[in-house]
mmCIF file of all heavy atoms in Angstrom:
data_model
loop_
_atom_site.group_PDB
_atom_site.id
_atom_site.type_symbol
_atom_site.label_atom_id
_atom_site.label_comp_id
_atom_site.label_asym_id
_atom_site.label_seq_id
_atom_site.Cartn_x
_atom_site.Cartn_y
_atom_site.Cartn_z
ATOM 1 N N ARG X 1 4.103 21.960 4.197
ATOM 2 C CA ARG X 1 2.806 22.049 4.875
ATOM 3 C C ARG X 1 1.699 21.491 3.986
ATOM 4 O O ARG X 1 1.366 22.061 2.953
ATOM 5 C CB ARG X 1 2.487 23.503 5.206
ATOM 6 C CG ARG X 1 3.553 24.221 6.035
ATOM 7 C CD ARG X 1 3.570 23.741 7.463
ATOM 8 N NE ARG X 1 4.411 24.585 8.313
ATOM 9 C CZ ARG X 1 4.570 24.401 9.600
ATOM 10 N NH1 ARG X 1 3.953 23.396 10.204
ATOM 11 N NH2 ARG X 1 5.344 25.198 10.312
ATOM 12 N N ALA X 2 1.134 20.382 4.381
ATOM 13 C CA ALA X 2 -0.009 19.787 3.677
ATOM 14 C C ALA X 2 -0.618 18.734 4.589
ATOM 15 O O ALA X 2 0.111 18.018 5.280
ATOM 16 C CB ALA X 2 0.423 19.155 2.358
ATOM 17 N N ALA X 3 -1.926 18.647 4.580
ATOM 18 C CA ALA X 3 -2.598 17.657 5.426
ATOM 19 C C ALA X 3 -2.169 16.239 5.073
ATOM 20 O O ALA X 3 -2.110 15.367 5.939
ATOM 21 C CB ALA X 3 -4.113 17.804 5.282
ATOM 22 N N ALA X 4 -1.866 16.022 3.795
ATOM 23 C CA ALA X 4 -1.455 14.687 3.351
ATOM 24 C C ALA X 4 0.026 14.414 3.628
ATOM 25 O O ALA X 4 0.511 13.312 3.369
ATOM 26 C CB ALA X 4 -1.733 14.523 1.859
ATOM 27 N N PHE X 5 0.757 15.433 4.134
ATOM 28 C CA PHE X 5 2.165 15.291 4.524
ATOM 29 C C PHE X 5 2.295 15.606 6.021
ATOM 30 O O PHE X 5 2.852 16.628 6.404
ATOM 31 C CB PHE X 5 3.055 16.270 3.744
ATOM 32 C CG PHE X 5 3.277 15.947 2.305
ATOM 33 C CD1 PHE X 5 3.850 16.886 1.455
ATOM 34 C CD2 PHE X 5 2.933 14.720 1.772
ATOM 35 C CE1 PHE X 5 4.076 16.601 0.116
ATOM 36 C CE2 PHE X 5 3.136 14.426 0.428
ATOM 37 C CZ PHE X 5 3.716 15.369 -0.405
ATOM 38 N N PRO X 6 1.779 14.757 6.899
ATOM 39 C CA PRO X 6 1.840 15.063 8.334
ATOM 40 C C PRO X 6 3.279 15.134 8.847
ATOM 41 O O PRO X 6 4.139 14.365 8.411
ATOM 42 C CB PRO X 6 1.078 13.895 8.974
ATOM 43 C CG PRO X 6 1.176 12.776 7.980
ATOM 44 C CD PRO X 6 1.155 13.440 6.640
ATOM 45 N N VAL X 7 3.515 16.066 9.747
ATOM 46 C CA VAL X 7 4.848 16.222 10.327
ATOM 47 C C VAL X 7 5.150 15.043 11.251
ATOM 48 O O VAL X 7 4.327 14.661 12.092
ATOM 49 C CB VAL X 7 4.958 17.541 11.112
ATOM 50 C CG1 VAL X 7 6.308 17.633 11.832
ATOM 51 C CG2 VAL X 7 4.793 18.731 10.176
ATOM 52 N N VAL X 8 6.332 14.461 11.096
ATOM 53 C CA VAL X 8 6.793 13.373 11.958
ATOM 54 C C VAL X 8 7.565 13.947 13.142
ATOM 55 O O VAL X 8 7.295 13.637 14.299
ATOM 56 C CB VAL X 8 7.687 12.386 11.184
ATOM 57 C CG1 VAL X 8 8.237 11.306 12.101
ATOM 58 C CG2 VAL X 8 6.921 11.759 10.029
ATOM 59 N N LYS X 9 8.540 14.820 12.825
ATOM 60 C CA LYS X 9 9.322 15.506 13.847
ATOM 61 C C LYS X 9 10.068 16.666 13.199
ATOM 62 O O LYS X 9 10.670 16.498 12.132
ATOM 63 C CB LYS X 9 10.314 14.556 14.513
ATOM 64 C CG LYS X 9 11.141 15.210 15.617
ATOM 65 C CD LYS X 9 12.086 14.227 16.284
ATOM 66 C CE LYS X 9 12.876 14.909 17.391
ATOM 67 N NZ LYS X 9 13.802 13.974 18.081
ATOM 68 N N ASP X 10 10.021 17.816 13.818
ATOM 69 C CA ASP X 10 10.726 19.005 13.340
ATOM 70 C C ASP X 10 10.443 19.256 11.854
ATOM 71 O O ASP X 10 9.339 19.609 11.481
ATOM 72 C CB ASP X 10 12.233 18.873 13.588
ATOM 73 C CG ASP X 10 12.581 18.889 15.064
ATOM 74 O OD1 ASP X 10 11.777 19.397 15.858
ATOM 75 O OD2 ASP X 10 13.654 18.382 15.434
ATOM 76 N N LEU X 11 11.446 19.032 11.002
ATOM 77 C CA LEU X 11 11.332 19.324 9.575
ATOM 78 C C LEU X 11 11.022 18.087 8.735
ATOM 79 O O LEU X 11 10.988 18.159 7.507
ATOM 80 C CB LEU X 11 12.637 19.965 9.077
ATOM 81 C CG LEU X 11 13.081 21.222 9.833
ATOM 82 C CD1 LEU X 11 14.438 21.695 9.330
ATOM 83 C CD2 LEU X 11 12.052 22.339 9.714
ATOM 84 N N VAL X 12 10.792 16.967 9.386
ATOM 85 C CA VAL X 12 10.537 15.702 8.690
ATOM 86 C C VAL X 12 9.031 15.489 8.538
ATOM 87 O O VAL X 12 8.287 15.558 9.519
ATOM 88 C CB VAL X 12 11.146 14.509 9.447
ATOM 89 C CG1 VAL X 12 10.859 13.200 8.727
ATOM 90 C CG2 VAL X 12 12.647 14.696 9.627
ATOM 91 N N VAL X 13 8.589 15.229 7.315
ATOM 92 C CA VAL X 13 7.179 14.920 7.071
ATOM 93 C C VAL X 13 7.042 13.519 6.487
ATOM 94 O O VAL X 13 7.973 12.975 5.901
ATOM 95 C CB VAL X 13 6.524 15.943 6.115
ATOM 96 C CG1 VAL X 13 6.585 17.338 6.702
ATOM 97 C CG2 VAL X 13 7.169 15.911 4.740
ATOM 98 N N ASP X 14 5.867 12.953 6.666
ATOM 99 C CA ASP X 14 5.554 11.624 6.126
ATOM 100 C C ASP X 14 4.947 11.791 4.735
ATOM 101 O O ASP X 14 3.838 12.265 4.589
ATOM 102 C CB ASP X 14 4.569 10.925 7.063
ATOM 103 C CG ASP X 14 4.172 9.533 6.568
ATOM 104 O OD1 ASP X 14 4.671 9.102 5.501
ATOM 105 O OD2 ASP X 14 3.365 8.868 7.247
ATOM 106 N N ARG X 15 5.692 11.396 3.705
ATOM 107 C CA ARG X 15 5.211 11.513 2.329
ATOM 108 C C ARG X 15 4.833 10.158 1.748
ATOM 109 O O ARG X 15 4.849 9.968 0.527
ATOM 110 C CB ARG X 15 6.283 12.186 1.466
ATOM 111 C CG ARG X 15 6.440 13.673 1.733
ATOM 112 C CD ARG X 15 7.586 14.265 0.960
ATOM 113 N NE ARG X 15 8.855 13.722 1.403
ATOM 114 C CZ ARG X 15 10.007 13.880 0.757
ATOM 115 N NH1 ARG X 15 10.040 14.559 -0.362
ATOM 116 N NH2 ARG X 15 11.120 13.370 1.232
ATOM 117 N N SER X 16 4.463 9.226 2.617
ATOM 118 C CA SER X 16 4.080 7.898 2.139
ATOM 119 C C SER X 16 2.796 7.939 1.316
ATOM 120 O O SER X 16 2.472 6.974 0.612
ATOM 121 C CB SER X 16 3.918 6.923 3.318
ATOM 122 O OG SER X 16 2.951 7.397 4.241
ATOM 123 N N SER X 17 2.052 9.049 1.378
ATOM 124 C CA SER X 17 0.862 9.198 0.530
ATOM 125 C C SER X 17 1.260 9.127 -0.941
ATOM 126 O O SER X 17 0.515 8.592 -1.767
ATOM 127 C CB SER X 17 0.159 10.523 0.828
ATOM 128 O OG SER X 17 1.077 11.609 0.762
ATOM 129 N N PHE X 18 2.429 9.664 -1.288
ATOM 130 C CA PHE X 18 2.934 9.562 -2.659
ATOM 131 C C PHE X 18 3.194 8.108 -3.034
ATOM 132 O O PHE X 18 2.915 7.685 -4.159
ATOM 133 C CB PHE X 18 4.235 10.368 -2.802
ATOM 134 C CG PHE X 18 4.032 11.797 -3.232
ATOM 135 C CD1 PHE X 18 2.772 12.383 -3.243
ATOM 136 C CD2 PHE X 18 5.110 12.584 -3.621
ATOM 137 C CE1 PHE X 18 2.585 13.707 -3.633
ATOM 138 C CE2 PHE X 18 4.935 13.906 -4.032
ATOM 139 C CZ PHE X 18 3.667 14.459 -4.031
ATOM 140 N N ASP X 19 3.724 7.343 -2.097
ATOM 141 C CA ASP X 19 3.984 5.921 -2.354
ATOM 142 C C ASP X 19 2.682 5.185 -2.633
ATOM 143 O O ASP X 19 2.607 4.338 -3.528
ATOM 144 C CB ASP X 19 4.692 5.276 -1.160
ATOM 145 C CG ASP X 19 6.079 5.839 -0.917
ATOM 146 O OD1 ASP X 19 6.715 6.265 -1.899
ATOM 147 O OD2 ASP X 19 6.515 5.861 0.241
ATOM 148 N N ARG X 20 1.653 5.502 -1.876
ATOM 149 C CA ARG X 20 0.368 4.819 -2.060
ATOM 150 C C ARG X 20 -0.267 5.175 -3.406
ATOM 151 O O ARG X 20 -0.925 4.338 -4.033
ATOM 152 C CB ARG X 20 -0.574 5.151 -0.904
ATOM 153 C CG ARG X 20 -0.142 4.524 0.424
ATOM 154 C CD ARG X 20 -1.186 4.710 1.506
ATOM 155 N NE ARG X 20 -1.274 6.090 1.964
ATOM 156 C CZ ARG X 20 -0.524 6.604 2.939
ATOM 157 N NH1 ARG X 20 0.386 5.863 3.538
ATOM 158 N NH2 ARG X 20 -0.686 7.855 3.322
ATOM 159 N N ILE X 21 -0.080 6.411 -3.845
ATOM 160 C CA ILE X 21 -0.567 6.790 -5.178
ATOM 161 C C ILE X 21 0.167 5.987 -6.239
ATOM 162 O O ILE X 21 -0.431 5.473 -7.185
ATOM 163 C CB ILE X 21 -0.375 8.304 -5.416
ATOM 164 C CG1 ILE X 21 -1.300 9.112 -4.493
ATOM 165 C CG2 ILE X 21 -0.649 8.660 -6.879
ATOM 166 C CD1 ILE X 21 -1.054 10.611 -4.537
ATOM 167 N N GLN X 22 1.482 5.869 -6.081
ATOM 168 C CA GLN X 22 2.283 5.096 -7.032
ATOM 169 C C GLN X 22 1.865 3.634 -7.030
ATOM 170 O O GLN X 22 1.740 3.001 -8.080
ATOM 171 C CB GLN X 22 3.770 5.234 -6.674
ATOM 172 C CG GLN X 22 4.727 4.670 -7.702
ATOM 173 C CD GLN X 22 4.877 5.544 -8.933
ATOM 174 O OE1 GLN X 22 4.178 6.535 -9.078
ATOM 175 N NE2 GLN X 22 5.757 5.162 -9.830
ATOM 176 N N HIS X 23 1.620 3.091 -5.862
ATOM 177 C CA HIS X 23 1.200 1.694 -5.752
ATOM 178 C C HIS X 23 -0.162 1.453 -6.398
ATOM 179 O O HIS X 23 -0.470 0.327 -6.824
ATOM 180 C CB HIS X 23 1.134 1.270 -4.285
ATOM 181 C CG HIS X 23 2.467 1.256 -3.606
ATOM 182 N ND1 HIS X 23 2.614 1.215 -2.225
ATOM 183 C CD2 HIS X 23 3.727 1.285 -4.112
ATOM 184 C CE1 HIS X 23 3.901 1.225 -1.931
ATOM 185 N NE2 HIS X 23 4.589 1.273 -3.047
ATOM 186 N N ALA X 24 -0.978 2.507 -6.473
ATOM 187 C CA ALA X 24 -2.328 2.363 -7.037
ATOM 188 C C ALA X 24 -2.313 2.139 -8.545
ATOM 189 O O ALA X 24 -3.294 1.631 -9.104
ATOM 190 C CB ALA X 24 -3.166 3.588 -6.709
ATOM 191 N N GLY X 25 -1.224 2.515 -9.206
ATOM 192 C CA GLY X 25 -1.223 2.306 -10.660
ATOM 193 C C GLY X 25 0.058 2.680 -11.378
ATOM 194 O O GLY X 25 0.145 2.493 -12.594
ATOM 195 N N GLY X 26 1.033 3.197 -10.675
ATOM 196 C CA GLY X 26 2.260 3.639 -11.321
ATOM 197 C C GLY X 26 3.242 2.524 -11.588
ATOM 198 O O GLY X 26 4.382 2.561 -11.118
ATOM 199 N N PHE X 27 2.796 1.545 -12.342
ATOM 200 C CA PHE X 27 3.646 0.394 -12.640
ATOM 201 C C PHE X 27 3.091 -0.337 -13.854
ATOM 202 O O PHE X 27 1.980 -0.065 -14.323
ATOM 203 C CB PHE X 27 3.701 -0.559 -11.444
ATOM 204 C CG PHE X 27 2.340 -1.014 -10.968
ATOM 205 C CD1 PHE X 27 1.686 -2.086 -11.561
ATOM 206 C CD2 PHE X 27 1.684 -0.333 -9.942
ATOM 207 C CE1 PHE X 27 0.428 -2.484 -11.158
ATOM 208 C CE2 PHE X 27 0.413 -0.725 -9.528
ATOM 209 C CZ PHE X 27 -0.213 -1.799 -10.134
ATOM 210 N N ILE X 28 3.871 -1.270 -14.363
ATOM 211 C CA ILE X 28 3.431 -2.153 -15.444
ATOM 212 C C ILE X 28 3.516 -3.580 -14.924
ATOM 213 O O ILE X 28 4.583 -4.033 -14.512
ATOM 214 C CB ILE X 28 4.319 -1.999 -16.695
ATOM 215 C CG1 ILE X 28 4.159 -0.595 -17.275
ATOM 216 C CG2 ILE X 28 3.969 -3.036 -17.752
ATOM 217 C CD1 ILE X 28 5.111 -0.272 -18.397
ATOM 218 N N SER X 29 2.396 -4.289 -14.914
ATOM 219 C CA SER X 29 2.370 -5.622 -14.294
ATOM 220 C C SER X 29 2.367 -6.762 -15.311
ATOM 221 O O SER X 29 2.120 -7.902 -14.949
ATOM 222 C CB SER X 29 1.143 -5.752 -13.388
ATOM 223 O OG SER X 29 -0.050 -5.587 -14.130
ATOM 224 N N VAL X 30 2.630 -6.434 -16.577
ATOM 225 C CA VAL X 30 2.678 -7.489 -17.590
ATOM 226 C C VAL X 30 3.824 -8.449 -17.272
ATOM 227 O O VAL X 30 4.956 -8.021 -17.030
ATOM 228 C CB VAL X 30 2.874 -6.887 -18.999
ATOM 229 C CG1 VAL X 30 3.051 -7.986 -20.030
ATOM 230 C CG2 VAL X 30 1.699 -6.001 -19.349
ATOM 231 N N ASN X 31 3.531 -9.732 -17.255
ATOM 232 C CA ASN X 31 4.538 -10.747 -16.950
ATOM 233 C C ASN X 31 5.389 -11.013 -18.193
ATOM 234 O O ASN X 31 4.916 -11.561 -19.178
ATOM 235 C CB ASN X 31 3.857 -12.037 -16.480
ATOM 236 C CG ASN X 31 4.865 -13.091 -16.079
ATOM 237 O OD1 ASN X 31 6.064 -12.815 -15.980
ATOM 238 N ND2 ASN X 31 4.381 -14.300 -15.823
ATOM 239 N N THR X 32 6.648 -10.620 -18.108
ATOM 240 C CA THR X 32 7.558 -10.847 -19.237
ATOM 241 C C THR X 32 8.564 -11.954 -18.943
ATOM 242 O O THR X 32 9.495 -12.169 -19.702
ATOM 243 C CB THR X 32 8.329 -9.555 -19.576
ATOM 244 O OG1 THR X 32 9.067 -9.136 -18.419
ATOM 245 C CG2 THR X 32 7.385 -8.447 -20.001
ATOM 246 N N SER X 33 8.354 -12.644 -17.842
ATOM 247 C CA SER X 33 9.281 -13.712 -17.452
ATOM 248 C C SER X 33 9.320 -14.818 -18.515
ATOM 249 O O SER X 33 8.277 -15.378 -18.892
ATOM 250 C CB SER X 33 8.859 -14.313 -16.106
ATOM 251 O OG SER X 33 9.703 -15.378 -15.745
ATOM 252 N N GLY X 34 10.496 -15.127 -19.016
ATOM 253 C CA GLY X 34 10.649 -16.165 -20.033
ATOM 254 C C GLY X 34 10.303 -15.701 -21.421
ATOM 255 O O GLY X 34 10.452 -16.438 -22.389
ATOM 256 N N ASN X 35 9.824 -14.451 -21.531
ATOM 257 C CA ASN X 35 9.438 -13.937 -22.842
ATOM 258 C C ASN X 35 9.865 -12.470 -22.965
ATOM 259 O O ASN X 35 9.126 -11.620 -23.449
ATOM 260 C CB ASN X 35 7.919 -14.068 -23.042
ATOM 261 C CG ASN X 35 7.494 -13.725 -24.461
ATOM 262 O OD1 ASN X 35 8.249 -13.934 -25.407
ATOM 263 N ND2 ASN X 35 6.289 -13.196 -24.605
ATOM 264 N N THR X 36 11.063 -12.211 -22.471
ATOM 265 C CA THR X 36 11.563 -10.843 -22.429
ATOM 266 C C THR X 36 11.790 -10.304 -23.840
ATOM 267 O O THR X 36 12.392 -10.960 -24.675
ATOM 268 C CB THR X 36 12.876 -10.782 -21.637
ATOM 269 O OG1 THR X 36 12.658 -11.343 -20.339
ATOM 270 C CG2 THR X 36 13.336 -9.347 -21.492
ATOM 271 N N ILE X 37 11.307 -9.094 -24.081
ATOM 272 C CA ILE X 37 11.451 -8.451 -25.380
ATOM 273 C C ILE X 37 12.306 -7.203 -25.208
ATOM 274 O O ILE X 37 12.073 -6.392 -24.309
ATOM 275 C CB ILE X 37 10.078 -8.073 -25.966
ATOM 276 C CG1 ILE X 37 9.205 -9.320 -26.127
ATOM 277 C CG2 ILE X 37 10.238 -7.363 -27.303
ATOM 278 C CD1 ILE X 37 7.787 -9.012 -26.567
ATOM 279 N N ASP X 38 13.301 -7.061 -26.040
ATOM 280 C CA ASP X 38 14.156 -5.880 -25.996
ATOM 281 C C ASP X 38 13.305 -4.642 -26.277
ATOM 282 O O ASP X 38 12.635 -4.556 -27.307
ATOM 283 C CB ASP X 38 15.261 -6.020 -27.045
ATOM 284 C CG ASP X 38 16.302 -4.901 -26.938
ATOM 285 O OD1 ASP X 38 16.018 -3.906 -26.251
ATOM 286 O OD2 ASP X 38 17.369 -5.039 -27.556
ATOM 287 N N ALA X 39 13.335 -3.698 -25.357
ATOM 288 C CA ALA X 39 12.520 -2.490 -25.520
ATOM 289 C C ALA X 39 12.871 -1.725 -26.788
ATOM 290 O O ALA X 39 12.032 -1.035 -27.369
ATOM 291 C CB ALA X 39 12.702 -1.586 -24.306
ATOM 292 N N ASN X 40 14.108 -1.869 -27.238
ATOM 293 C CA ASN X 40 14.530 -1.139 -28.429
ATOM 294 C C ASN X 40 13.889 -1.671 -29.712
ATOM 295 O O ASN X 40 14.017 -1.062 -30.769
ATOM 296 C CB ASN X 40 16.056 -1.191 -28.565
ATOM 297 C CG ASN X 40 16.743 -0.370 -27.479
ATOM 298 O OD1 ASN X 40 16.189 0.610 -27.006
ATOM 299 N ND2 ASN X 40 17.924 -0.785 -27.092
ATOM 300 N N THR X 41 13.201 -2.818 -29.642
ATOM 301 C CA THR X 41 12.532 -3.352 -30.824
ATOM 302 C C THR X 41 11.148 -2.737 -31.016
ATOM 303 O O THR X 41 10.490 -3.003 -32.015
ATOM 304 C CB THR X 41 12.387 -4.880 -30.726
ATOM 305 O OG1 THR X 41 11.521 -5.198 -29.623
ATOM 306 C CG2 THR X 41 13.736 -5.557 -30.534
ATOM 307 N N ILE X 42 10.684 -1.933 -30.045
ATOM 308 C CA ILE X 42 9.373 -1.295 -30.138
ATOM 309 C C ILE X 42 9.570 0.156 -30.573
ATOM 310 O O ILE X 42 10.109 0.965 -29.811
ATOM 311 C CB ILE X 42 8.630 -1.332 -28.792
ATOM 312 C CG1 ILE X 42 8.522 -2.778 -28.279
ATOM 313 C CG2 ILE X 42 7.245 -0.695 -28.923
ATOM 314 C CD1 ILE X 42 7.927 -2.867 -26.882
ATOM 315 N N PRO X 43 9.164 0.511 -31.786
ATOM 316 C CA PRO X 43 9.364 1.885 -32.262
ATOM 317 C C PRO X 43 8.570 2.893 -31.414
ATOM 318 O O PRO X 43 7.392 2.683 -31.135
ATOM 319 C CB PRO X 43 8.837 1.856 -33.698
ATOM 320 C CG PRO X 43 8.825 0.407 -34.073
ATOM 321 C CD PRO X 43 8.535 -0.337 -32.812
ATOM 322 N N VAL X 44 9.232 3.955 -31.007
ATOM 323 C CA VAL X 44 8.589 5.025 -30.247
ATOM 324 C C VAL X 44 8.966 6.353 -30.882
ATOM 325 O O VAL X 44 10.146 6.621 -31.128
ATOM 326 C CB VAL X 44 9.030 5.019 -28.767
ATOM 327 C CG1 VAL X 44 8.346 6.144 -28.002
ATOM 328 C CG2 VAL X 44 8.733 3.681 -28.110
ATOM 329 N N ASN X 45 7.957 7.159 -31.167
ATOM 330 C CA ASN X 45 8.189 8.484 -31.711
ATOM 331 C C ASN X 45 9.123 9.264 -30.776
ATOM 332 O O ASN X 45 8.929 9.276 -29.562
ATOM 333 C CB ASN X 45 6.849 9.213 -31.846
ATOM 334 C CG ASN X 45 6.984 10.615 -32.381
ATOM 335 O OD1 ASN X 45 7.340 11.529 -31.644
ATOM 336 N ND2 ASN X 45 6.690 10.780 -33.657
ATOM 337 N N LYS X 46 10.149 9.910 -31.343
ATOM 338 C CA LYS X 46 11.140 10.598 -30.501
ATOM 339 C C LYS X 46 10.523 11.676 -29.633
ATOM 340 O O LYS X 46 10.912 11.864 -28.473
ATOM 341 C CB LYS X 46 12.250 11.215 -31.357
ATOM 342 C CG LYS X 46 13.376 11.824 -30.520
ATOM 343 C CD LYS X 46 14.475 12.412 -31.378
ATOM 344 C CE LYS X 46 15.653 12.866 -30.500
ATOM 345 N NZ LYS X 46 15.246 13.813 -29.439
ATOM 346 N N GLN X 47 9.550 12.389 -30.165
ATOM 347 C CA GLN X 47 8.892 13.437 -29.377
ATOM 348 C C GLN X 47 8.219 12.840 -28.147
ATOM 349 O O GLN X 47 8.290 13.400 -27.040
ATOM 350 C CB GLN X 47 7.876 14.182 -30.235
ATOM 351 C CG GLN X 47 7.233 15.380 -29.529
ATOM 352 C CD GLN X 47 6.313 16.165 -30.445
ATOM 353 O OE1 GLN X 47 6.206 15.879 -31.629
ATOM 354 N NE2 GLN X 47 5.651 17.175 -29.911
#
């Protein structure tokens, strides 16, 4: 039950609002084509 999750039918709700939030910024758009770098070469603190 949520206004942003409208019921489609019975127990099915439309959660495309989550998709739109993800589309708003949940990605990395840096172009690595032709210049791919192995992620393991970038040190990241284990924590």
Side-chain angles (χ1 to χ4, degrees):
R1 304 288 190 178
F5 287 168
V7 174
V8 176
K9 181 178 181 179
D10 293 338
L11 305 175
V12 179
V13 300
D14 179 1
R15 287 175 294 168
S16 58
S17 52
F18 269 12
D19 295 330
R20 290 188 289 272
I21 292 173
Q22 189 75 354
H23 294 164
F27 55 84
I28 295 173
S29 60
V30 175
N31 183 10
T32 59
S33 177
N35 188 31
T36 305
I37 301 174
D38 187 346
N40 291 330
T41 65
I42 305 174
V44 180
N45 179 281
K46 186 179 186 305
Q47 185 175 356

